[in-house]
Every structure is written in C-alpha cells, then in structure tokens.
Amino acid sequence: MSAPTRPPNRGDRPRVALVLSGGGARGAYEAGVMRYIREDLAGDLGGQVQFDIISGTSVGGIHACFFAGTADIPAKQGRLLCDRWESFVLEEMVSFGVKEFMRAPATLLGSGHIEEVEGQRRLGGIVQTQQLERVVRRLIPWSRIGTNIRDGHLESLSVTATDIGSGKTVVFVQNAGGRAPEWSKDPFVRAQAVTMGPEHALASAALPILFPAISIGERFFCDGGLRQNTPLSPALRLGADKVLVIGLRQQPPISQEIPEESMPFPGAAFLVGKVLDAFLLDHIDYDLDRLRRFNALIRAVRAAGSPDYAARFDQVVSEMRGAPYRVVDEFMIRPSSDLGEVAGQIARSGRFKGSGGGAGIQLLRRLATSRGGNDADLLSYILFDGFYAAEVARIGYEDARSHHDELAKFLGDAVVPE
C-alpha cells in the first residue's frame, strides 16, 4: 500500500482530516458540531483529537482557516466560534438593496463595477458583505496558521475557490513544505501553495451573484462550492487516512417522495434557493459513495491478487491520476433537520436579533414567508443573525451528541493526550 509519509513522532496515529462544507449562514452547524467534539467528546476520550489536515470550501473554508489559526487552543475552538456566530445581527452583517440589484445585470454581462474595500478589489454581488468581511479578517489569527503548522499542531490547510475567468477549481494549500504536493491530472483543477490570508477564505465563500467576487492578484474568484463544495479530494491528496466530514444538508428518508401535484408555483426566492442547493449541497453523497466503492475495490484487489498484481494495480492508477489509491476511512455528520425549514420558522416568528436591515432585507423576509410553506433555502444561506445561528449550532451540537459512540470509535486513535 502506498501510504503517505508520516512525520516524526507520529507513531501509529492515523492522519485525520476535517472536511468542512459550504452553505453560507448554514455554517453555524459546523460550529455546533465542533463545540461538541472539543468539549464533551474530548472529556470522554481523555484528550483532544488532532486534525492533521483541515480542508474547507465556502463558509467551511473560513472555518478551516479559523481552526488552523487556533489549533494550539483546541479546547476553546468550539465555544469561540459559536459565540461569534450567535453575536451576529442581520442588518449589521449584510445590506441588500436596490443599488445592488441594479448592478447585477451588468455583472452577468461582463461589465460589472469593480470596487476596492480595505485594499481588496470586489466585483458584483447583490448582497453587500463588508461587515462580514471585517469579521473574517479579525476573527482569525492569520499569522498563527503558519506557526501552528511549524509547531506540529496540524500539517496542511486547504481552501477551495473557483477561478471565474477560467472556470477552474483552485485549491489553495498551506503546509510545512511551502509547496503544493503532486495533484490531480484533471485540467480543471489545480493546487496553489500560498500563505493563507483573508483574501483566500473570502474568495472561497463568495456565493455567486449574491456575494461579490474577490480578487487575488489579477484574477477574480468566487465560491469553491460550484465545483467542489465538500472538499474530499484535497484531503485525500494531502494524505488523509481518515476523513471526518461535516455536511450542511439533511438527508431525507430514501422512501420519502413529494407528490408533484403538491408543489406550489415556484417564486423567485424559491428558485434561487433551489439553484444554490444544487450548486452547493448536492455533491457530497456522490463523493462519499465513490470513496466507499473505491475502498471496496482496493480491499478486493489486495485480497484477491498477488503482491505483484497489487503493485501493478498501483502503477496503472498512478499513471492515470498521479497517485495510487488507498483505503481511507470516513465518517459524516449532517443535519437531522432541514436548515431551510429552520430559517423559514425563524423568519415567520420574527425572532431576529435586530429589527432593521432596510428595504432589501424586509423584502427578503417577505419572500421567505409569502409562500406559506416551509422552504426558505435562500434565506438559510444569508440569514447571518444570532437567533438563527444559535438554533443551527444547537442542532449541530445535538446531532454530534447523538453520534457520540460512533465518533468516539472513529476518532479514538487520533487523540493527543492532555
């Protein structure tokens, strides 16, 4: 088996990756899950789990940078992140008005207005996110990322974005070697070694059309979730033996069917929400299913073939994809509740930390509630409000608690004792 090279003093501890998904304001769920892992689960395991590889896209990319920058204080990570989410007041975080709507067609036609905010060039965006951007710049101790990598608190950090001009997926990587490892032969994916900064996280989280695209150098980037929302591939390329995936979409029962005649006429907000779902939330099941099938194939080859046959198998695969296959264990936590429905319930109740937000936010609230149904997927992406965040984080915490035994078994061999 072509196992990745292990760093000094690792022993038999597996290299564990934390894989964080995209989904805008739904990301509070990841904070809740990590709070349980860092507080309750750590107490039962007798120490903190070390995530050697942290890989994120969109809001998961922001969180990945946060966890890398605070890797030296793991016990505090969950509470710090939950507190920040719960402090959000919607009208302080985003503005959503007529001017931004008027600019949208020009952006789509390639003649959008480029603004410079705090030295950062930004293009388009119906939702103005300057305050959110300030939070990202100030929340994360950016200089600590490199320090924590050098001190061995983690090995690699990756954040995925989409290059608007080329359509390529770009995986920004920071590790001790200072260069991206051998990557995929897919011409639409490339890795780039960087010193991670707020521009990389903000580019990864720039929801297309809704949030402004962010420049890095001379190129503009938007949400990495367009092509790689749950970034399993970077975690595998960086050498993970195990991957813990936190998803942001509820898995409905297989037998659940919605009669077509019950579906209402879709309004604009409904359609935009479903389009975002399709772009950002629908990939992970396919990716995990493919990982499981490859694991089964590798085990079958190892069991049935001679050592020479297994070596030939690795050689052929390496020639095709640039690296051999290996068995990688996986575990996924995903919401037990529909986070779109939760957003709708919050909107209908009027429970917001603030009451203003201007005409645009008020219009968005009405669009989210006018159908009378439970779907408010669009709102669930941009509802950066403490009441919604607290409820979503609570769901994440409780979901992690409901998987306590499975998590303890999966992560028990990755604990660094106190």
Side-chain angles (χ1 to χ4, degrees):
M1 181 86 60
S2 299
T5 303
R6 298 184 181 280
N9 304 320
R10 172 178 290 280
D12 293 329
R13 183 171 64 80
R15 180 182 276 106
V16 180
L18 175 64
V19 178
L20 301 166
S21 305
R26 294 172 180 239
Y29 182 85
E30 295 172 344
V33 171
M34 288 301 293
R35 181 187 158 206
Y36 183 82
I37 291 173
R38 288 314 195 192
E39 294 179 2
D40 295 55
L41 186 67
D44 291 341
L45 294 179
Q48 294 288 347
V49 173
Q50 176 158 323
F51 293 105
D52 305 286
I53 299 163
I54 306 177
S55 178
T57 292
S58 191
V59 68
I62 294 173
H63 286 168
C65 293
F66 171 80
F67 290 129
T70 58
D72 54 327
I73 51 169
K76 299 180 180 180
Q77 288 178 323
R79 170 50 61 190
L80 286 173
L81 196 56
C82 283
D83 286 348
R84 196 66 187 91
W85 272 100
E86 293 174 19
S87 72
F88 286 170
V89 177
L90 180 60
E91 58 262 32
E92 295 177 0
M93 293 294 107
V94 297
S95 63
F96 191 85
V98 175
K99 180 179 69 173
E100 289 73 33
F101 272 119
M102 295 298 289
R103 288 179 178 174
T107 301
L108 290 172
L109 294 173
S111 59
H113 176 68
I114 297 177
E115 294 182 324
E116 184 166 325
V117 179
E118 296 187 8
Q120 182 72 63
R121 292 191 304 155
R122 304 155 72 252
L123 172 64
I126 294 173
V127 180
Q128 292 302 294
T129 57
Q130 288 93 331
Q131 183 58 33
L132 276 174
E133 293 172 19
R134 293 188 187 100
V135 169
V136 171
R137 295 176 189 279
R138 297 168 185 171
L139 170 68
I140 298 168
W142 295 100
S143 64
R144 295 291 302 169
I145 293 175
T147 301
N148 286 337
I149 290 174
R150 288 193 298 272
D151 291 347
H153 295 295
L154 75 155
E155 293 179 23
S156 302
L157 166 66
S158 76
V159 171
T160 302
T162 301
D163 185 318
I164 294 177
S166 67
K168 289 184 177 182
T169 295
V170 180
V171 183
F172 299 113
V173 178
Q174 183 171 354
N175 55 22
R179 62 183 182 87
E182 185 176 358
W183 214 257
S184 170
K185 293 186 177 181
D186 184 344
F188 293 101
V189 180
R190 67 178 175 87
Q192 179 177 333
V194 299
T195 298
M196 207 70 71
E199 65 275 15
H200 302 101
L202 291 171
S204 178
L207 290 169
I209 307 302
L210 289 179
F211 291 0
I214 300 295
S215 70
I216 300 176
E218 296 301 316
R219 306 195 67 83
F220 280 92
F221 293 83
C222 69
D223 201 298
L226 290 183
R227 294 177 59 90
Q228 192 181 89
N229 190 51
T230 305
L232 268 178
S233 177
L236 302 181
R237 292 278 173 181
L238 290 168
D241 300 311
K242 291 184 172 186
V243 290
L244 174 65
V245 181
I246 305 178
L248 297 179
R249 183 174 190 172
Q250 179 190 33
Q251 182 177 22
I254 296 176
S255 60
Q256 181 179 357
E257 294 184 3
I258 302 175
E260 291 185 10
E261 60 271 16
S262 72
M263 295 181 181
F265 180 80
F270 179 86
L271 284 174
V272 173
K274 294 307 178 187
V275 168
L276 286 173
D277 284 351
F279 276 140
L280 302 179
L281 299 180
D282 287 344
H283 307 299
I284 183 56
D285 292 304
Y286 171 78
D287 290 344
L288 283 175
D289 182 63
R290 184 173 62 173
L291 176 62
R292 291 162 186 153
R293 283 188 277 114
F294 279 127
N295 281 343
L297 172 65
I298 296 165
R299 291 188 176 106
V301 169
R302 304 296 179 196
S306 66
D308 290 342
Y309 181 80
R312 176 58 181 158
F313 175 79
D314 284 345
Q315 179 183 351
V316 171
V317 171
S318 296
E319 291 172 355
M320 293 178 61
R321 65 185 293 269
Y325 287 133
R326 67 183 190 282
V327 174
V328 178
D329 294 329
E330 45 78 24
F331 188 80
M332 181 178 185
I333 296 179
R334 67 169 84 216
S336 58
S337 302
D338 187 322
L339 301 186
E341 290 186 10
V342 174
Q345 291 165 5
I346 294 288
R348 285 190 294 277
S349 71
R351 291 186 296 116
F352 295 93
K353 292 200 76 170
S355 58
I361 292 295
Q362 298 300 332
L363 173 61
L364 188 62
R365 288 168 173 166
R366 288 197 296 272
L367 286 173
T369 59
S370 61
R371 293 173 54 248
N374 290 325
D375 288 303
D377 292 313
L378 173 58
L379 189 60
S380 73
Y381 287 99
I382 61 176
L383 189 54
F384 292 94
D385 188 83
F387 285 161
Y388 175 65
E391 179 60 19
V392 171
R394 183 195 65 79
I395 293 170
Y397 183 90
E398 294 298 332
D399 287 349
R401 177 155 60 182
S402 72
H403 291 290
H404 176 277
D405 292 345
E406 299 103 304
L407 281 170
K409 181 178 180 180
F410 184 75
L411 297 174
D413 58 357
V415 172
V416 177
E418 295 289 349

